[in-house]
Amino acid sequence: TASGGSNLGPTNKMLIDRVSGSVKTLQPTNPGTPIPADLVTTSASGLDPDISPAAAEFQIPRVAHERGLSEQDVRALVQKHTQGRQFGFLGEPRVNVLDLNLELDATHPMH
């Protein structure tokens, strides 16, 4: 299920096949652009509200097209919803997808 994690290790064929399939699905959306790992892997719970700034950046052209916005406008919204490391040194920068999508839905509904 979409909300279920797995205990598959990095050499497990099922995991390799799933990640490879996800890469093949995403490559045509941004040809020549490296696909961030968090777009083709899942967390233990599969319910994380955040993605990496790189994963958000990868999706900007698609979101801009779907919302009828410029990529620059979407990029500005992504920046607005990007949080830095907690206390300046814990964790990694992250984009709160829930907050970003709520703002997009309120200001620029999908066509």
Side-chain angles (χ1 to χ4, degrees):
T1 65
S3 64
S6 75
N7 288 326
L8 303 178
T11 60
N12 184 285
K13 179 160 176 31
M14 287 175 37
L15 177 62
I16 292 168
D17 290 346
R18 186 182 56 74
V19 169
S20 295
S22 295
V23 167
K24 287 178 186 173
T25 299
L26 288 172
Q27 277 178 332
T29 63
N30 262 347
T33 303
I35 299 169
D38 56 326
L39 287 182
V40 295
T41 58
T42 59
S43 67
S45 69
L47 298 173
D48 293 334
D50 303 320
I51 61 174
S52 69
E57 179 69 29
F58 183 88
Q59 298 178 81
I60 285 174
R62 178 183 57 78
V63 172
H65 175 76
E66 291 293 326
R67 300 283 181 156
L69 294 168
S70 72
E71 290 184 21
Q72 188 166 341
D73 288 341
V74 175
R75 193 168 282 111
L77 288 170
V78 167
Q79 287 295 321
K80 179 180 176 182
H81 293 283
T82 299
Q83 301 167 347
R85 292 184 162 117
Q86 189 174 12
F87 306 119
F89 65 94
L90 292 176
E92 294 295 325
R94 62 215 174 273
V95 178
N96 186 308
V97 177
L98 176 60
D99 288 343
L100 175 58
N101 285 337
L102 288 172
E103 182 166 348
L104 282 166
D105 286 344
T107 59
H108 299 89
M110 297 217 359
H111 294 134

